[in-house]
Amino acid sequence: MTAPADATAGDGATVVHHSFQDRQAHMSSRAYSGSRDGVGTRTLAEWFAHGLHGGHDRIALRIGRASWTYGELHDLALCWAGTLVRRSGGSPAAVGVLASRTIEAYAGILAALYAGAVVVPLHPGYPPERTAAMAREAGVGILIADGRGVTVAADGAGPLAGLPVLVPDPAVVAAGRPLLRPDPAAALADPVAVDPGGVAYVLFTSGSTGRPKGVPVTHANMDWFLEYNQARYGITPDDVLSQTFDITFDLVMFDLFMAWSAGATSVCTTPHAFANLPDFVRNHGLTVWFSVPSAVRLVHRAGGLSANSMPSLRWSLFCGEPLTARDAADWQQASAGSVVENLYGPTELTLACTAYRWNPQRSPALCVNDVVPIGTVYPTMEGVLLGADGNLAADEGELCVTGPQMFPGYLDPADDAGRFLDHDDRRWYRTGDLVRRAGTAGLAYLGRIDQQIKMRGYRIEPSEIEAAARRELGVSGAVVVGFTTATGDVELALFYLGAPMARKQIIDGLRATLPDFMVPRRQWRLDEFPLNDNRKVDRRALVGLAEKLASDHPTAAGHGRYDIPNQDSPARAR
């Protein structure tokens, strides 16, 4: 067993200045190059073409009361792609899609692919500086934006102001900013052909260095995923799939391309739908549901999980965070005719790489700490367990996975340090997740081996928030922990040292550089941080304190004076 692989020698500080094309060539050299009976050789545009050939008049996408057929979506993408190509003087290296739950978001992804470009989904609600940093890192040279995205991109003093912006909606204007409009005369006859081994899209995850990490995923990675999962779930043109994830969340690619590759329909599921999900499922005829497990509790609180309240579902899939036995049982009761599965997989392994099928009679006894097993590794992938001593472990350890769904490495190779394992003459991705072999159930998820927090499907590095708190708020010390509330939800708590601050001041300050989901809604000032026996910050004690304070004050940020549990010299919270 060799030590975990470090970043490529010599790349460290200078690679971030290389062109995106140079980095993409570097990543291609590290990507999985094998194929099996043509698997790994198809692009996402070719997968859409498979659904298109099943019928141009079939509904591909619904957003609210509007819908688009496969033919209409294909024509939009060809027109927008042609406009991008003409404006860029050839296929752009990377296209940013600055939109959310609009036709510009979904057709924009397809148009960027048709243009032969790398898709870089961007969220209009994120702080502009953060969005600009991600666009720069990914080499974005042109944007597709909806009305909200234009507001971000068209800011004359903003960091995205220099990029051309394609705005398909003629009603959207930007004062003093020329916008690029789709030109039917520039429409492509066919999508631009690309190398299946090339990067299809880039997403960003929270980074321990205080900045987001770029995760490039290749067409071949997605091809292997789609091939296996189409066989597993047997999606047909008669299926209607939920679309619950924002486009900056990797699982949106399941929502879209599992539907589009089969000629099925993808239905945008807005947050308002959860208020009465059974009606939404019935009105749209949903047959496949896919979301993070925390959505189960949301629907439960809205009274939507009564017996057989969603009879049309035949598959109910969950991924992104631990699924509890209670949530699985509650959902199964409401969708008695569906098969409930728990999927697992980080963005770096392309959406999911394990799956476990829930059985109402047998599964509860197989759960560990009330968490549903994550099941077995896909037969196209391989997994090993790495013990704390750096050697392979038989029964419990960090899950390391390799195979054709594994991404080629981060945009900045410096981020690769410590994230890969060299074993058996192959490169394995270290997930950072501690698992245990659980017999016929496959693998049981035990938690993180590091400080990373999983919340509503997002992977959050506390150190990134802590760095923002020190930088934006001027605090002398900051520690962020995740804790579980009485309702079973995961929340973030910020403990800080320094002068007391109002809750609004803290939230507004952090929102300057962090997306909303990373801003802790609970904040407490301490005189000092509790320390463990090694004189390091005792995060476990802070988790316990956060749980106690949140229980005492369920609707407000903490205040008052409290002892930290089990500390000889307790710090004080104010």
Side-chain angles (χ1 to χ4, degrees):
M1 174 75 61
T2 58
D6 289 329
T8 305
D11 285 347
T14 60
V15 71
V16 294
H17 301 297
H18 294 172
S19 71
F20 181 78
Q21 290 90 336
D22 289 341
R23 280 180 280 165
Q24 186 165 341
H26 178 63
M27 289 182 287
S28 295
S29 69
R30 296 182 286 170
Y32 181 90
S33 58
S35 64
R36 184 192 65 190
D37 298 330
V39 182
T41 65
R42 287 160 294 192
T43 67
L44 285 176
E46 289 170 331
W47 274 106
F48 182 86
H50 188 270
L52 175 70
H53 292 157
H56 282 231
D57 294 330
R58 300 191 66 88
I59 300 298
L61 176 67
R62 290 187 199 144
I63 307 175
R65 296 182 179 180
S67 63
W68 291 263
T69 67
Y70 275 84
E72 290 169 337
L73 198 55
H74 175 64
D75 289 342
L76 276 181
L78 287 174
C79 176
W80 297 2
T83 307
L84 294 173
V85 169
R86 187 176 66 180
R87 176 62 176 79
S88 303
S91 291
V95 173
V97 180
L98 188 57
S100 181
R101 300 188 186 277
T102 58
I103 185 59
E104 289 85 354
Y106 306 114
I109 289 174
L110 192 61
L113 294 169
Y114 275 20
V118 174
V119 184
V120 185
L122 301 168
H123 198 301
Y126 287 4
E129 288 290 347
R130 184 185 185 88
T131 298
M134 293 189 289
R136 285 193 299 268
E137 177 84 3
V140 169
I142 193 167
L143 297 169
I144 299 174
D146 60 13
R148 190 178 176 196
V150 168
T151 301
V152 176
D155 181 354
L160 298 173
L163 294 178
V165 185
L166 174 63
V167 181
D169 186 351
V172 175
V173 297
R177 176 73 183 271
L179 301 176
L180 186 63
R181 303 295 186 179
D183 183 359
L188 300 177
D190 296 291
V192 174
V194 297
D195 178 4
V199 178
Y201 61 85
V202 172
L203 294 171
F204 287 83
T205 66
S206 179
S208 58
T209 60
R211 60 171 179 79
K213 296 187 298 185
V215 181
V217 176
T218 69
H219 289 276
N221 294 151
M222 278 295 296
D223 189 39
W224 282 89
F225 175 85
L226 291 169
E227 176 76 16
Y228 174 74
N229 283 281
Q230 284 294 3
R232 182 180 185 91
Y233 299 117
I235 305 300
T236 75
D238 294 328
D239 278 308
V240 181
L241 285 70
S242 66
Q243 196 290 290
T244 64
F245 302 99
D246 188 83
I247 66 168
T248 56
F249 200 142
D250 66 329
L251 297 178
V252 72
M253 296 300 178
F254 182 106
D255 291 346
L256 299 180
F257 285 95
M258 282 294 289
W260 290 348
S261 60
T265 301
S266 183
V267 177
C268 179
T269 308
T270 66
H272 301 293
F274 291 90
N276 193 340
L277 192 63
D279 277 358
F280 185 88
V281 170
R282 180 172 55 254
N283 292 339
H284 289 279
L286 292 186
T287 61
V288 180
W289 175 263
F290 192 30
S291 74
V292 292
S294 53
V296 181
R297 294 185 290 277
L298 187 61
V299 178
H300 185 276
R301 289 195 288 270
L305 294 183
S306 58
N308 207 30
S309 59
M310 296 180 286
S312 66
L313 295 180
R314 68 184 191 92
W315 290 106
S316 296
L317 312 176
F318 299 95
C319 189
E321 59 186 346
L323 174 66
T324 67
R326 177 179 178 180
D327 287 345
D330 285 348
W331 190 275
Q332 182 74 86
Q333 172 186 268
S335 60
S338 78
V339 178
V340 175
E341 286 202 344
N342 186 33
L343 282 64
Y344 161 88
T347 304
E348 292 85 346
L349 294 172
T350 312
L351 280 66
C353 61
T354 78
Y356 174 79
R357 190 160 296 177
W358 173 260
N359 181 289
Q361 287 73 45
R362 296 191 297 270
S363 295
L366 299 174
C367 294
V368 176
N369 299 325
D370 196 42
V371 174
V372 176
I374 60 174
T376 56
V377 176
Y378 286 178
T380 54
M381 306 287 282
E382 295 181 65
V384 296
L385 306 186
L386 185 65
D389 59 0
N391 296 312
L392 291 188
D395 299 317
E396 185 174 310
E398 179 186 3
L399 179 60
C400 303
V401 179
T402 193
Q405 287 181 208
M406 185 181 75
F407 81 135
Y410 294 102
L411 279 185
D412 182 354
D415 289 328
D416 290 353
R419 299 312 311 159
F420 291 92
L421 172 75
D422 288 334
H423 166 65
D424 195 26
D425 296 324
R426 287 178 292 173
R427 197 177 194 226
W428 304 65
Y429 178 68
R430 297 183 59 176
T431 65
D433 289 316
L434 183 65
V435 301
R436 176 188 302 162
R437 298 197 187 278
T440 58
L443 299 171
Y445 176 79
L446 303 179
R448 295 290 301 175
I449 65 169
D450 53 20
Q451 297 168 3
Q452 195 176 86
I453 300 166
K454 289 188 175 181
M455 184 180 74
R456 296 193 295 277
Y458 292 100
R459 290 161 48 197
I460 298 171
E461 292 282 1
S463 55
E464 183 174 358
I465 307 174
E466 293 162 2
R470 292 189 295 269
R471 182 178 64 248
E472 304 297 332
L473 305 178
V475 300
S476 58
V479 176
V480 172
V481 298
F483 69 98
T484 304
T485 68
T487 60
D489 296 314
V490 176
E491 287 192 14
L492 297 176
L494 167 66
F495 292 94
Y496 67 95
L497 308 179
M501 286 182 285
R503 182 171 185 266
K504 185 177 186 303
Q505 180 185 359
I506 295 174
I507 291 177
D508 288 348
L510 294 178
R511 277 178 173 164
T513 57
L514 297 176
D516 196 60
F517 70 86
M518 290 181 66
V519 176
R521 294 302 189 269
R522 307 275 185 167
Q523 316 97 20
W524 291 280
R525 192 190 79 84
L526 300 178
D527 291 332
E528 60 185 14
F529 293 135
L531 304 179
N532 58 24
D533 292 340
N534 295 322
R535 307 305 295 169
K536 295 182 179 180
V537 173
D538 192 337
R539 290 177 178 268
R540 182 173 299 180
L542 291 177
V543 170
L545 178 60
E547 290 174 345
K548 180 182 186 304
L549 294 175
S551 177
D552 292 344
H553 305 276
T555 60
H559 58 278
R561 185 176 286 265
Y562 299 90
D563 288 340
I564 295 180
N566 303 318
Q567 299 298 306
D568 294 333
S569 300
R572 295 294 197 178
R574 289 195 178 101

